[in-house]
C-alpha cells in the first residue's frame, strides 16, 4: 500500500465495518422476522433467494472475528445493532438480544477496539413493515423508542452512534427502484420514505441528546455524478440526480431544507406539513459518516418517468459489482462536504471497499486489485485532509465476506474470506497489506 499510518494525524482511526443482518445469523437469539426475510423469499428479488438466517454466524463467532480485527492493528469496529433482534416485534424488548450486544461491546473493549455503532442498517421488523414501514410516520417514534432501549443498555460504552445507514438506499433504492426491501416502485411511498427516514434520524437525535449522548451523527452514501456529455440535457440530468442522491439528505440534516430539483418530483406526494419537521431533522450532529463506492455518468432518458435519468457506469475498471473504480470521487466528496455543508465537523469514511470473485488457492486469497483499491482510496482521503477536510477515520467495507443484500452471498467485499459452507475465515492478502501499512 502507498500509505502508512504515520502519514495521518495521530488520532486518525482505521477500522472495518459490518452490519447486523449481513453477518450475525438472524435465526439465532430470538430475533424477529424482518422485511428482508420476506423480500428474499419473494420471486426474483435476491440471488438464489438467499437470506440472513445464518450469514457468517458472527452471533457465535464474534470473538474470533474481533480477534482478527485486533490482530490487523485496527482501532475501531463499525457494527450495527439490529432493531428486530433488540425488539422482535419492533416494540417489545428481547433480553437475549440486549445481552448479545452487551457482550459484543464488551468484547470490543477487551480488545481495545472502539465501538462505532449504527442504529439502523436496514432490517425493519416485519410487524412495522405490515403497518407501512417507512411510509408510516409512526415508525419514526417507534425508532426513537428502540434508540432509547438499546442506548440504555450499551450507550455507556460506545464511542459513537450513527442513527441511520444510507437513507437514500432505505428510501429511494427500496421504494422507487424496488431493488431492496420492501421492493416497491411507487413515487408516493418514496416521497414519504425520503422524508420519514430523515425524521427518524431527527427523532433518534432528540432521544440521544435527552440522554446526554455525544458523538452522534448519521451515515450517508454519495455517488460521484457527472454529465455523460457536454449537452444541456446531460447537465440538467446530472443536477437532478445529484440532488436526489447526494444533496437531499445532507441538506435536510445540515440546512433544514430539500433541494428544489428533487422536491419538484416529490412535492405532490410528501406527507402533510412536512416543513414542520425540518427543525428536528436539522439539529446539530457531531460527525458525518460518508460511504463512497463509485461514479456514474448520467443523461436524460426521455422515455422514462420522472426523474428522466439514464445512469451508466464510467469508463474505468470495474469491480465484481460492475461498479467503476474511481478514487478521485472520494476526494471530491470529502472536500465538497467540508466546504458546502459541514465545515470543520469530523467526517469519517464509514464505508469504502470493493467486491471481487476471490478464490482460496493453497490456503490463501491473493487480491491485488483490492490492495490497490484500498490504497488509492485511503490516499484520496489523505489528499482531502491536506485540502482542508476534517477526515478523522477510514472504515473498510467489509471486515468479512457477507450477505450482500439482493446479491446474496455471491459478491465478496471482505478483507477476510468466508467459506459459506464451513464458515472458515481466511484473511486475504489485502488484510495483511493493510495490517503492515497501519503498523508503519
Ligand atoms: C452499502 C451498504 C452496505 C454494503 C455495501 C456494499 O450500500 O451500506 O451494507 O452492502 O453497500
Amino acid at each position: 500500500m502507498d500509505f502508512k499510518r504515520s502519514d495521518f494525524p495521530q488520532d486518525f482511526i482505521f477500522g472495518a465495518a459490518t452490519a447486523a443482518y449481513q453477518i450475525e445469523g438472524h435465526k439465532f437469539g430470538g430475533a424477529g422476522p424482518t422485511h428482508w426475510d420476506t423480500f428474499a423469499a419473494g420471486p426474483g428479488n435476491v440471488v438464489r433467494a438467499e437470506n440472513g438466517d445464518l450469514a457468517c454466524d458472527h452471533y457465535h463467532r464474534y470473538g474470533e472475528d474481533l480477534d482478527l480485527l485486533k490482530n490487523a492493528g485496527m482501532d475501531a469496529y463499525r457494527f450495527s445493532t439490529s432493531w428486530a433482534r433488540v425488539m422482535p416485534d419492533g416494540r417489545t424488548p428481547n433480553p437475549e438480544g440486549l445481552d448479545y450486544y452487551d457482550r459484543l461491546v464488551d468484547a470490543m473493549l477487551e480488545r481495545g477496539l472502539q465501538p462505532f455503532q449504527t442504529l439502523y442498517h436496514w432490517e425493519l421488523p416485519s410487524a412495522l413493515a405490515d403497518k407501512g414501514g417507512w411510509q408510516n410516520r409512526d415508525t419514526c417514534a417507534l425508532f426513537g423508542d428502540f434508540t432509547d432501549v438499546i442506548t440504555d443498555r450499551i450507550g455507556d460504552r460506545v464511542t459513537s452512534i450513527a442513527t441511520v445507514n444510507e437513507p437514500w438506499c432505505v428510501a429511494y433504492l427500496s421504494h422507487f427502484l424496488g431493488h431492496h426491501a420492501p421492493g416497491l416502485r411507487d413515487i408516493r411511498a418514496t416521497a414519504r420514505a425520503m422524508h420519514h427516514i430523515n425524521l427518524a434520524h431527527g427523532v433518534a437525535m432528540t432521544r440521544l441528546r435527552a440522554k446526554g449522548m455525544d458523538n452522534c451523527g448519521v451515515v450517508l452514501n454519495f455517488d460521484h455524478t457527472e454529465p455523460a456529455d457536454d449537452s444541456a440535457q446531460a447537465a440538467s440530468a446530472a443536477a437532478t440526480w445529484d440532488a436526489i442522491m447526494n444533496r437531499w439528505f445532507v441538506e435536510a440534516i445540515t440546512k433544514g431544507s430539500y433541494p428544489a430539483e428533487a422536491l419538484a418530483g416529490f412535492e405532490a406526494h410528501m406527507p402533510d406539513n412536512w416543513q414542520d419537521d425540518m427543525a428536528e431533522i436539522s439539529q446539530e450532529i457531531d460527525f458525518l459518516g460518508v460511504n463512497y463506492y463509485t461514479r456514474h455518468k448520467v443523461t436524460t432518458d426521455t422515455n422514462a418517468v420522472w426523474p428522466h435519468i439514464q445512469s451508466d457506469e464510467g469508463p474505468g475498471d470495474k469491480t465484481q459489482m460492475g461498479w467503476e473504480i474511481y478514487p478521485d470521487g472520494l476526494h471530491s466528496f470529502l472536500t465538497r462536504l467540508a466546504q458546502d455543508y459541514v465545515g470543520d465537523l469530523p467526517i469519517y469514511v464509514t464505508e469504502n471497499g470493493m467486491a471481487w470473485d476471490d478464490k482460496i488457492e493453497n490456503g490463501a486469497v491473493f487480491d491485488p486489485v483490492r490492495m490497490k483499491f484500498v490504497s488509492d482510496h485511503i490516499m484520496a482521503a489523505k489528499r482531502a485532509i491536506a485540502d482542508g477536510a476534517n477526515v478523522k477515520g477510514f472504515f473498510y467495507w467489509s471486515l468479512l465476506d457477507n450477505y450482500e443484500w439482493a446479491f446474496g452471498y455471491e459478491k465478496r467485499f471482505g478483507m477476510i474470506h468466508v467459506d459459506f459452507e464451513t464458515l472458515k475465515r481466511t484473511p486475504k492478502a489485502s488484510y495483511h497489506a493493510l495490517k503492515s501499512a497501519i503498523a508503519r
Side-chain angles (χ1 to χ4, degrees), residues 254 284-288 338 342-347 389-392:
T254 63
E284 215 175 301
I285 52 174
D286 303 318
F287 71 89
L288 177 66
V342 299
D344 277 345
L345 200 74
I347 300 177
N390 188 18
V391 186
K392 291 292 208 191

Side-chain angles (χ1 to χ4, degrees), residues 19 22 78 121-122 165-166 169 180 221 291 293 321 323 351 397 402-405 413:
Q22 294 179 273
R78 176 172 176 247
H121 201 130
W122 302 358
N165 179 70
E166 301 193 350
C169 292
H180 279 185
N221 57 309
N291 292 357
Y293 288 93
M321 298 292 282
W323 296 351
E351 283 181 31
W397 181 274
N402 61 41
Y403 180 66
E404 181 41 43
W405 307 113
F413 274 92

Side-chain angles (χ1 to χ4, degrees), residues 22 48 90 110 128 131 146 151-152 180 182 187 200 214 221 225 250-251 263 273 336 380 419 435:
Q22 294 179 273
R48 293 183 292 264
E110 279 160 21
L128 306 184
K131 296 200 154 52
F146 159 61
T151 305
D152 285 344
H180 279 185
I187 195 166
D214 54 17
N221 57 309
T225 303
V250 76
E251 280 180 24
L263 199 53
N273 305 318
R336 173 182 173 191
D419 177 329
K435 174 176 175 162

Side-chain angles (χ1 to χ4, degrees), residues 1-9 12 14 375 378-379 382 433-440:
M1 306 238 169
D2 293 334
F3 73 94
K4 45 189 186 320
R5 184 189 281 273
S6 50
D7 295 338
F8 285 82
F12 193 86
F14 290 95
S375 178
I378 292 183
M379 292 298 283
K382 183 174 167 243
L434 197 53
K435 174 176 175 162
S436 35
I438 62 183
R440 288 188 289 145

Side-chain angles (χ1 to χ4, degrees), residues 381-398:
K382 183 174 167 243
R383 277 191 287 124
I385 297 174
D387 293 337
N390 188 18
V391 186
K392 291 292 208 191
F394 179 96
F395 290 80
Y396 179 73
W397 181 274
S398 180

Side-chain angles (χ1 to χ4, degrees), residues 131-150:
K131 296 200 154 52
W134 293 114
Q135 296 175 68
N136 184 346
R137 183 183 178 88
D138 296 345
T139 304
C140 305
L142 291 166
F143 182 61
D145 296 345
F146 159 61
T147 301
D148 280 339
V149 168
I150 187 68

Side-chain angles (χ1 to χ4, degrees), residues 95-242:
E96 248 188 299
L98 286 163
D99 288 350
Y100 168 68
Y101 290 119
D102 204 82
R103 291 196 296 279
L104 184 67
V105 168
D106 281 346
M108 289 178 224
L109 297 179
E110 279 160 21
R111 290 164 178 79
L113 295 165
Q114 296 183 44
F116 275 60
Q117 181 193 2
T118 300
L119 287 165
Y120 186 74
H121 201 130
W122 302 358
E123 65 283 31
L124 187 74
S126 293
L128 306 184
D130 293 345
K131 296 200 154 52
W134 293 114
Q135 296 175 68
N136 184 346
R137 183 183 178 88
D138 296 345
T139 304
C140 305
L142 291 166
F143 182 61
D145 296 345
F146 159 61
T147 301
D148 280 339
V149 168
I150 187 68
T151 305
D152 285 344
R153 188 60 183 266
I154 64 170
D156 57 334
R157 280 158 290 152
V158 296
T159 300
S160 89
I161 304 177
T163 54
V164 177
N165 179 70
E166 301 193 350
W168 180 86
C169 292
V170 174
Y172 196 89
L173 187 69
S174 308
H175 295 79
F176 198 67
L177 301 180
H179 296 326
H180 279 185
L184 300 180
R185 292 186 178 157
D186 181 319
I187 195 166
R188 184 171 171 86
T190 307
R192 279 149 196 271
M194 293 286 281
H195 182 65
H196 289 148
I197 196 66
N198 280 335
L199 179 59
H201 157 78
V203 169
M205 287 298 299
T206 303
R207 303 289 186 99
L208 291 167
R209 295 308 194 203
K211 293 183 186 301
M213 301 298 296
D214 54 17
N215 241 344
C216 301
V218 65
V219 170
L220 307 180
N221 57 309
F222 297 94
D223 186 59
H224 191 83
T225 303
E226 288 177 7
D229 54 48
D230 292 340
S231 66
Q233 290 94 315
S236 133
T240 304
W241 190 240
D242 191 52

